[in-house]
């Protein structure tokens, strides 16, 4: 198989349950070492980090100091005052335990400030711009809200394109946030738990990708918010029927990094089938990231990102157990 591409992960968030308020910043960054080692041994050779990781981690992988997938970074999730990236508490006020010079200030209000936040992220080395357009499923707050205006998001998208053709990924659980993302020109909608016909029609019309991160609701549906697992599967059916292009993303460590390939079985069961799930994790994911000329399939002239499986079945449920060898850019990964 070609190496797998995870279009939505967070390698510097630490293991599930780690309290970022109770550990030094260095612990959060160092937690990326076992996280990326796990992903690489599962055959994830390329990953788009959906915020939390700075350019130093990408440098460490590229320099061979640590093992990991080839990284594309968004640095921070940018958003408006009161959005989920605006870390604030009544007792302390603003509380940014992720901020340092390499992870710039992500909050903005207004179109001009939206352009400025893009410039800050690009200056710090971002490959992608991550925007939050609605609330948090995990926190159960404002899931169907809209946290920014069309003009604000369109300005972010335009400024990103002006800065080396960068593109925008949008956190959107609700249908209106997903529709807004599509109409404003975002490259991808992340999560999309509660899509409707209008949202997927806009996504199809504007060629907006869908990165559903199904593991968030499907790996442990009994502990997902009421109705979320069913709604997420329904959103997938709507998107597939509308012809929306789909790429794999896990949103780890919402689930453990060791479960990254569970996303394949969820994509298959939600309507893509086994072949479609593997495409979403390889060539289609590479297309979303703008890397299809270099990876995503086994072809002459492309990177030797390879996963050697025992047997020839396309059974998505048993992929991790069947991995025998992994190669990243032609170099075999120790197992």
């Amino acid at each position: 198989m070609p190496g797998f591409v995870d279009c939505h992960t967070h390698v510097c968030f630490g293991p599930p349950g780690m309290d970022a308020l109770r550990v030094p910043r260095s612990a959060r960054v160092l937690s990326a070492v076992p996280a990326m080692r796990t992903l690489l041994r599962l055959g994830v050779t390329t990953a788009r980090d959906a915020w939390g990781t700075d350019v130093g981690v990408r440098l460490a992988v590229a320099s061979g100091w640590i093992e990991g997938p080839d990284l594309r970074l968004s640095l921070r999730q940018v958003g408006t005052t009161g959005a989920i990236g605006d870390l604030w508490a009544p007792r302390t006020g603003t509380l940014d335990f992720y901020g340092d010079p390499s992870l710039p200030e992500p909050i903005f209000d207004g179109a001009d400030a939206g352009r400025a936040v893009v410039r800050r992220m690009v200056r710090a080395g971002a490959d992608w711009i991550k925007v939050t357009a609605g609330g948090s499923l995990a926190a159960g707050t404002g899931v169907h809200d809209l946290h920014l205006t069309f003009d604000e998001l369109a300005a972010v998208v335009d400024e990103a394109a002006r800065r080396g053709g960068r593109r925008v990924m949008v956190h959107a659980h609700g249908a209106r946030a997903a529709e807004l993302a599509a109409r404003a020109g975002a490259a991808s909608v992340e999560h999309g738990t509660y899509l409707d016909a209008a949202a997927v029609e806009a996504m199809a019309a504007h060629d907006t990708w869908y990165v559903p991160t199904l593991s968030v609701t499907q790996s442990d549906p009994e502990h997902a918010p009421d109705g979320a697992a069913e709604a997420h599967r329904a959103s997938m059916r709507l998107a597939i029927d509308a012809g929306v292009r789909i790429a794999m993303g896990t949103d780890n460590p919402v689930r453990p990094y060791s479960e990254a390939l569970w996303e394949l079985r969820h994509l298959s069961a939600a309507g893509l089938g086994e072949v479609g799930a593997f495409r979403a994790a390889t060539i289609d994911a590479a297309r979303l990231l703008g890397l299809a000329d270099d990876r995503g399939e086994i072809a002459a002239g492309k990177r030797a990102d390879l996963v050697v499986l025992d047997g020839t079945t396309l059974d998505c449920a048993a992929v991790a157990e069947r991995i025998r060898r992994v190669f990243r850019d032609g170099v075999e990964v120790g197992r």
Side-chain angles (χ1 to χ4, degrees), residues 251-271:
D251 205 17
N252 298 142
V254 173
R255 300 294 303 172
Y257 297 104
S258 60
E259 295 181 6
L261 297 187
W262 288 26
E263 189 69 20
L264 288 167
R265 70 180 76 171
H266 299 320
L267 289 167
S268 177

Side-chain angles (χ1 to χ4, degrees), residues 206-296:
H206 293 273
D207 200 24
T208 309
W209 286 80
Y210 181 26
V211 182
T213 65
L214 290 167
S215 294
V216 172
T217 63
Q218 306 302 305
S219 290
D220 188 11
E222 292 184 0
H223 291 91
D226 288 347
E230 295 81 1
H232 216 166
R233 292 193 298 271
S235 295
M236 276 287 291
R237 290 192 294 271
L238 286 172
I240 292 168
D241 290 345
V244 175
R245 295 192 290 176
I246 296 170
M248 185 184 84
T250 61
D251 205 17
N252 298 142
V254 173
R255 300 294 303 172
Y257 297 104
S258 60
E259 295 181 6
L261 297 187
W262 288 26
E263 189 69 20
L264 288 167
R265 70 180 76 171
H266 299 320
L267 289 167
S268 177
L272 283 186
E274 291 171 333
V275 172
F278 278 116
R279 288 184 62 86
T282 54
I283 187 60
D284 287 345
R287 287 186 176 121
L288 167 58
L289 299 191
L291 300 172
D293 62 341
D294 183 49
R295 67 198 73 182

Side-chain angles (χ1 to χ4, degrees), residues 118-282:
V118 171
R119 293 168 187 174
R120 290 197 294 274
M121 297 303 153
V122 172
R123 180 177 63 183
D127 305 299
W128 281 78
I129 304 300
K130 163 79 177 294
V131 181
T132 61
S136 166
L137 186 71
T141 56
V143 171
H144 298 286
D145 291 353
L146 283 177
H147 286 172
L148 72 171
T149 67
F150 177 87
D151 288 344
E152 287 172 326
L153 184 51
V156 169
V157 170
D158 178 69
E159 190 64 30
R162 289 159 53 87
R163 301 283 166 163
R166 288 172 172 81
R167 294 184 293 160
V168 174
M169 55 191 295
V170 176
H171 165 106
H173 285 287
R176 300 290 68 77
E179 184 178 2
L180 173 67
R183 296 191 185 283
S188 64
V189 164
E190 313 294 307
H191 312 305
T193 308
Y194 301 100
L195 301 181
D196 61 15
V200 298
E201 287 169 9
M203 292 167 68
H206 293 273
D207 200 24
T208 309
W209 286 80
Y210 181 26
V211 182
T213 65
L214 290 167
S215 294
V216 172
T217 63
Q218 306 302 305
S219 290
D220 188 11
E222 292 184 0
H223 291 91
D226 288 347
E230 295 81 1
H232 216 166
R233 292 193 298 271
S235 295
M236 276 287 291
R237 290 192 294 271
L238 286 172
I240 292 168
D241 290 345
V244 175
R245 295 192 290 176
I246 296 170
M248 185 184 84
T250 61
D251 205 17
N252 298 142
V254 173
R255 300 294 303 172
Y257 297 104
S258 60
E259 295 181 6
L261 297 187
W262 288 26
E263 189 69 20
L264 288 167
R265 70 180 76 171
H266 299 320
L267 289 167
S268 177
L272 283 186
E274 291 171 333
V275 172
F278 278 116
R279 288 184 62 86
T282 54

Side-chain angles (χ1 to χ4, degrees), residues 106-117:
I107 305 305
F108 72 96
D109 291 291
D112 287 345
R115 293 185 184 278
V117 80

